[in-house]
Amino acid sequence: MQPYGLSLLRQYPHWYLLVLSIAIGSLIITGILYRFALTNKLLPAIRGRDVHTTRKPRVGGVAMWITAMVAFFLLAIPHSPFQHLSFGMASVWGIDRSLFGIIIGMVILLGFGLFDDIKGLSPSQQLLGQFLAATAIIWGGIQAAYIRLPFNGILYLNIHAFTLPSWLGSATIWPFSALFSYLWVIAMINVLNFFDGLDGLAGSISVTSAAVLFLVCLRLGFLGPATLALVVLGIALGFLPWNWYPSKLFMGTVGSQMLGFLLAVTAIISGAKVATAILVLGIPLLDALVVIGRRLIAHRSPFEADQRHLHHRLLRIGLPVPYVVLLINAVAVVFGLFALRTQNAAGKGILTLVLVVCMVLFILVTYLLERKVAKRVH
């Protein structure tokens, strides 16, 4: 049982209470905002890329954001009844510096996300918000010291450090590490944003990813990152009953970007467990690469929304929404379990190749089935 960290889980039984409390809080706050949105007729217009046909509130992300901030505040208290959320950094106003950076990043994403949900932002404006959020966590000391290369070797990123001036907090920055953190955080934010296209899809894949990262952190004994993963797990679990098909509301840009941001941060702060996150989120990541590549070939913006994602193709084949969501999560669970059992770079490299092959076959089969259905219709 030790490889899965379950012995640690028995040592910290309050974790069960923690995730349950956060999930209930998310469920209740989402319900309150849902009623508020209905009462005030906050029902955004249906966009061309949307699958739903009736106008629904897009406030779920705000509810998750509020829940996460309340959880961070309670967990930041030195004598918290739960696991104290700390990452071993110096404190800023009594809060762990890394956690402070996460909070600043979430505030930035809330502002940009709300504006996008209400008025709409251009891709460049959204990227600016994501860049600023990533800057906040880098300032907070969340940088990957190294990444394990597939099959063998380690690429060290903590070289050529420099220190920011005191008026910027005297943070130590590793340029290569910071560059990787920027790319990783922005990529994860956009992957979750791209995959927020069906009822329950982004929320459920976040639950699966957070659960796997939590178990990885337990296995390594990283209690701070494990607690952060539980926060993500709890807020997504509490949101899902409202968003499961047929949904009552959506998470919007605020929710999808926040979940991608927190999952990216958890993967970095748990010891650069990027390979594990890639395996769990393999389908969304590879689907994003395929869709972006197709858009670039067509001389379109890579961030231009459409209905060419894998989940849209599965719908056109005839699979019901819940089946599509469960199928994608089943693949994530399988590769997540393999990632938990495989602790060496070579094994994870092989798993990544298997995932890529499976994804290519998956795309090919769905493309052929989609064409067959299209011919039948016409």
Side-chain angles (χ1 to χ4, degrees):
M1 303 292 277
Q2 180 62 32
Y4 299 97
L6 295 184
S7 60
L8 269 175
L9 196 57
R10 289 193 293 269
Q11 293 176 30
Y12 296 89
H14 56 270
W15 266 329
Y16 295 108
L17 181 59
L18 173 61
V19 72
L20 180 62
S21 301
I22 294 174
I24 292 174
S26 179
L27 181 72
I28 293 173
I29 295 174
T30 303
I32 293 171
L33 287 186
Y34 171 66
R35 297 298 176 189
F36 175 82
L38 288 184
T39 302
N40 293 275
K41 295 183 170 52
L42 302 178
L43 305 172
I46 298 173
R47 301 162 297 187
R49 68 177 183 263
D50 292 331
V51 175
H52 60 281
T53 56
T54 57
R55 297 173 66 177
K56 300 177 183 180
R58 207 178 293 155
V59 297
V62 178
M64 289 191 288
W65 188 93
I66 293 172
T67 307
M69 295 300 279
V70 171
F72 287 154
F73 174 76
L74 294 176
L75 292 170
I77 299 173
H79 301 291
S80 169
F82 299 111
Q83 173 65 39
H84 176 50
L85 187 53
S86 174
F87 304 103
M89 299 293 289
S91 64
V92 177
W93 294 344
I95 301 175
D96 179 275
R97 186 188 185 108
S98 293
L99 180 57
F100 195 80
I102 293 171
I103 291 172
I104 293 175
M106 287 182 59
V107 171
I108 292 170
L109 290 177
L110 175 68
F112 278 81
L114 276 176
F115 202 95
D116 184 60
D117 284 331
I118 296 172
K119 297 290 185 180
L121 290 175
S122 67
S124 59
Q125 290 170 329
Q126 292 191 47
L127 280 174
L128 173 61
Q130 296 161 14
F131 177 85
L132 293 175
T135 301
I137 62 128
I138 292 169
W139 172 87
I142 300 176
Q143 304 174 79
Y146 63 89
I147 53 174
R148 294 189 180 276
L149 301 174
F151 303 109
N152 193 21
I154 297 177
L155 177 62
Y156 288 98
L157 303 173
N158 56 343
I159 54 177
H160 306 304
F162 66 90
T163 303
L164 295 176
S166 58
W167 60 276
L168 285 176
S170 303
T172 300
I173 305 295
W174 304 322
F176 294 109
S177 177
L179 176 61
F180 172 80
S181 298
Y182 275 121
L183 295 174
W184 174 247
V185 170
I186 291 173
M188 286 289 286
I189 288 174
N190 282 287
V191 163
L192 261 294
N193 197 23
F194 286 166
F195 234 55
D196 183 28
L198 294 182
D199 292 349
L201 183 54
S204 60
I205 202 74
S206 296
V207 167
T208 301
S209 304
V212 171
L213 287 173
F214 170 69
L215 292 174
V216 169
C217 293
L218 277 188
R219 187 182 66 198
L220 298 173
F222 296 157
L223 303 188
T227 306
L228 180 60
L230 273 192
V231 172
V232 182
L233 179 62
I235 60 178
L237 274 176
F239 169 74
L240 265 182
W242 293 98
N243 187 237
W244 194 256
Y245 183 84
S247 66
K248 291 182 173 62
L249 81 171
F250 304 119
M251 66 173 65
T253 302
V254 173
S256 60
Q257 293 201 4
M258 183 192 71
L259 289 174
F261 174 74
L262 290 177
L263 288 172
V265 168
T266 305
I268 294 175
I269 211 166
S270 59
K273 297 305 170 188
V274 174
T276 300
I278 288 175
L279 286 170
V280 180
L281 292 168
I283 288 185
L285 281 164
L286 293 173
D287 176 65
L289 289 175
V290 171
V291 171
I292 288 174
R294 187 188 296 117
R295 291 170 183 168
L296 291 174
I297 292 172
H299 303 289
R300 293 161 48 201
S301 168
F303 300 101
E304 181 182 332
D306 56 30
Q307 289 195 3
R308 301 303 299 169
H309 289 281
L310 178 63
H311 47 274
H312 293 131
R313 302 172 76 94
L314 291 172
L315 284 182
R316 283 192 287 272
I317 289 171
L319 287 179
V321 171
Y323 286 27
V324 174
V325 174
L326 291 174
L327 175 62
I328 292 173
N329 274 278
V331 175
V333 168
V334 169
F335 278 93
L337 290 175
F338 277 119
L340 283 170
R341 294 185 63 88
T342 307
Q343 301 182 34
N344 58 77
K348 289 188 177 178
I350 293 172
L351 276 177
T352 303
L353 288 179
V354 171
L355 178 61
V356 171
V357 171
C358 290
M359 184 63 180
V360 171
L361 293 174
F362 203 7
I363 291 173
L364 180 60
V365 170
T366 55
Y367 177 74
L368 294 174
L369 289 175
E370 188 182 11
R371 288 191 61 184
K372 184 176 179 180
V373 170
K375 287 181 179 179
R376 189 185 306 156
V377 171
H378 295 294

